[in-house]
Amino acid sequence: MSFFRNIINWPIDVFRVWKREISLVFHDEAVIIFFLVLCAVYPVLYSLIYNTEVAHDIKVVVVDDNRSHLTREFVRQLDATPEVCVMDYVSNIQDARRLMNEHECYGVVYFPSDFTRQALGGGQGHVSLYTDMGVFMRYKQMLTGLTSVQMNMCTQLQHAKIGITSENSGGIIENRQVALGNTAQGIGSSVLPCVLVLVLQQSMLLGICVLRGGSRERRLRNRGFDPLEINTWVSASLVGKSLCHWVIYIVPTIYVLHFVPMFFDFPQNGATLDIIVLMLPFLLSVSLLGQTLQVFVNDRETTFLVMGFTSIIFVFLTGISWPRFMMPDYWIALGNVIPSTWASNAYISIQTNAATLGQVSQSYYMLWVLVGFYFVAAYMVERFICRPRYRRMQQYAAIEPDALIKEEHRRNAVDQSGW
């Protein structure tokens, strides 16, 4: 009879935990900032930073030690590209370096004295590009413009030597770049989809850890008891909290992953329904990951030490800046247990390359595997670490009422001479 009573009471307890967690979230200003304000502001802030997408007319100066018709034609074509603006000639590298240090220009194109002789004599004519690496976007554009002019002049020189063998006025092999997903070829459109998913993950983890820090502070003030805690099964507590986080994040997820790309003209080639379905296991796995990491949280401020430094690491683990297949095995293994790794790659495939949910099924199923994995991990942490810790706190407080506060002050090096 008690077994059936437990089965009936379990969903009731899940609802009680869900209701209590909702109340805690919306009565805690710090959690509201992490769950809602951060999701509203950070994606817009990052998108505004990369809103230019592609830089145009990057200022460069030319140091020409060759002074030939060929170098002047090279510079004329370079100045005609949309990426580069040739602002002036200078006499030597030292003057060019001074202009770069004063931020009058961002790049130097250098032609050595033997450039024409090497280029027309069957050798290699070297052109050097010195750039200000303070902004990667400028370097990329300068290199793109210089490379396109170089390839065009190589074709012209080839035609001058061997003659045009066909009616085609272009090269023997036509080189054409067609952007399928990221049509703007911008850094924002390639980087921001990954960052948007990571913002959702980090904001939820921060909020969950702050909630746990608040619970511990209440226990310190109430002799090891949290008056707002629902005394129920571990599984009911985990499910209730996860459902609470998932419900709260429905609106932020739609806003971050659908409306922010629409506001800033990022690629939107996928089906919205596929993205929503993909986010379901992602949000659940992040919630359970946060409930697993709670064991490391001693107070609300500890949250920033536990989670603050991981954002950059998680960005690299997704493979957005360095391909995952070139990472060592231990980094790949670490990335595999982070929900944002699978969610961001699947989201980019859907949103940028118009993939369907079936085409990213590996990432989708791996997110469900992480849901199961972190549910077991969170269950073990709560049952065998956190709850025994709470019972010990209650035992210490029963022996000496001020024991918990004194221990907390001792741990934080607070002067207790007045006790």
Side-chain angles (χ1 to χ4, degrees):
M1 188 68 179
S2 60
F3 174 76
F4 293 103
R5 186 182 300 112
N6 291 339
I7 294 178
I8 296 174
N9 290 336
W10 190 86
I12 297 176
D13 286 343
V14 168
F15 175 76
R16 292 172 59 213
V17 172
W18 176 85
K19 183 179 178 181
R20 187 261 308 168
E21 196 75 3
I22 289 283
S23 177
L24 288 176
V25 168
F26 287 100
H27 285 85
D28 192 319
E29 295 179 357
V31 179
I32 292 176
I33 290 174
F34 286 131
F35 276 4
L36 302 178
V37 178
L38 190 148
C39 289
V41 174
Y42 265 41
V44 175
L45 178 63
Y46 282 123
S47 300
L48 286 174
I49 292 174
Y50 291 101
N51 192 33
T52 306
E53 288 271 19
V54 179
H56 297 289
D57 292 330
I58 309 299
K59 293 181 180 180
V60 301
V61 295
V62 176
V63 179
D64 188 359
D65 286 344
N66 187 250
R67 297 182 177 87
S68 65
H69 171 74
L70 187 62
T71 58
R72 289 192 294 271
E73 178 63 19
F74 193 108
V75 173
R76 186 189 68 80
Q77 293 188 23
L78 182 63
D79 189 40
T81 62
E83 294 86 5
V84 177
C85 172
V86 178
M87 59 174 292
D88 202 357
Y89 282 83
V90 293
S91 58
N92 52 59
I93 291 292
Q94 288 71 25
D95 290 341
R97 179 178 296 176
R98 178 179 56 81
L99 291 174
M100 287 187 63
N101 292 336
E102 297 174 355
H103 299 290
E104 295 292 334
C105 67
Y106 301 101
V108 178
V109 179
Y110 173 69
F111 295 96
S113 57
D114 62 346
F115 174 78
T116 300
R117 178 172 58 84
Q118 292 289 343
L120 299 181
Q124 290 184 344
H126 295 279
V127 183
S128 300
L129 174 65
Y130 302 93
T131 65
D132 177 7
M133 293 297 293
V135 179
F136 179 77
M137 188 183 298
R138 297 194 191 112
Y139 162 75
K140 173 180 176 291
Q141 291 299 92
M142 285 186 282
L143 185 61
T144 299
L146 189 70
T147 302
S148 63
V149 173
Q150 176 185 342
M151 295 179 63
N152 183 55
M153 291 207 69
C154 287
T155 300
Q156 294 176 359
L157 293 176
Q158 183 185 34
H159 288 171
K161 286 185 177 182
I162 65 176
I164 303 177
T165 58
S166 66
E167 296 180 357
N168 183 13
S169 60
I172 297 176
I173 300 177
E174 183 180 7
N175 181 19
R176 179 182 300 176
Q177 183 178 5
V178 180
L180 297 178
N182 183 5
T183 55
Q185 290 293 278
I187 294 180
S189 295
S190 61
V191 173
L192 260 296
C194 171
V195 174
L196 295 179
V197 175
L198 193 63
V199 166
L200 293 173
Q201 173 178 284
Q202 297 301 94
S203 66
M204 184 184 291
L205 292 178
L206 286 168
I208 292 172
C209 290
V210 167
L211 285 171
R212 175 50 66 96
S215 174
R216 186 176 183 277
E217 291 177 359
R218 290 192 295 272
R219 293 181 185 278
L220 292 176
R221 295 193 299 265
N222 294 277
R223 300 184 179 184
F225 294 92
D226 183 357
L228 301 179
E229 185 75 19
I230 301 295
N231 187 18
T232 183
W233 295 279
V234 175
S235 59
S237 177
L238 295 178
V239 173
K241 291 178 181 179
S242 298
L243 290 178
C244 165
H245 305 150
W246 181 79
V247 168
I248 292 175
Y249 263 79
I250 290 177
V251 174
T253 299
I254 296 174
Y255 165 76
V256 171
L257 300 185
H258 178 72
F259 287 101
V260 170
M262 183 174 64
F263 295 156
F264 293 94
D265 293 326
F266 295 143
Q268 286 188 293
N269 302 319
T272 304
L273 181 60
D274 287 346
I275 296 174
I276 293 175
V277 174
L278 174 69
M279 289 298 108
L280 172 61
F282 168 69
L283 295 177
L284 291 176
S285 61
V286 173
S287 174
L288 293 167
L289 171 60
Q291 294 179 68
T292 303
L293 295 177
Q294 289 175 351
V295 68
F296 300 108
V297 176
N298 292 322
D299 48 52
R300 295 161 71 89
E301 292 76 14
T302 308
T303 300
F304 300 96
L305 300 177
V306 174
M307 297 308 307
F309 74 96
T310 60
S311 298
I312 299 299
I313 298 175
F314 291 162
V315 169
F316 281 99
L317 291 178
T318 60
I320 192 66
S321 58
W322 187 259
R324 276 171 54 81
F325 63 83
M326 295 186 66
M327 294 181 183
D329 292 338
Y330 54 87
W331 286 117
I332 294 177
L334 179 61
N336 287 341
V337 298
I338 307 300
S340 60
T341 301
W342 300 101
S344 60
N345 282 281
Y347 175 70
I348 291 173
S349 298
I350 294 174
Q351 193 76 308
T352 302
N353 297 325
T356 63
L357 188 63
Q359 292 172 321
V360 295
S361 58
Q362 181 186 12
S363 297
Y364 180 69
Y365 293 140
M366 279 302 302
L367 287 172
W368 280 113
V369 170
L370 291 181
V371 170
F373 173 77
Y374 283 120
F375 182 85
V376 174
Y379 183 93
M380 302 292 286
V381 165
E382 180 68 19
R383 180 171 181 179
F384 297 107
I385 299 179
C386 292
R387 295 201 174 187
R389 182 184 297 171
Y390 301 151
R391 288 193 292 270
R392 288 194 298 270
M393 293 173 66
Q394 295 163 12
Q395 292 170 359
Y396 296 152
I399 298 173
E400 183 181 355
D402 296 327
L404 299 179
I405 300 297
K406 289 182 178 180
E407 175 62 21
E408 187 71 9
H409 287 176
R410 185 197 64 78
R411 191 170 59 86
N412 294 321
V414 176
D415 182 17
Q416 303 184 54
S417 58
W419 285 78

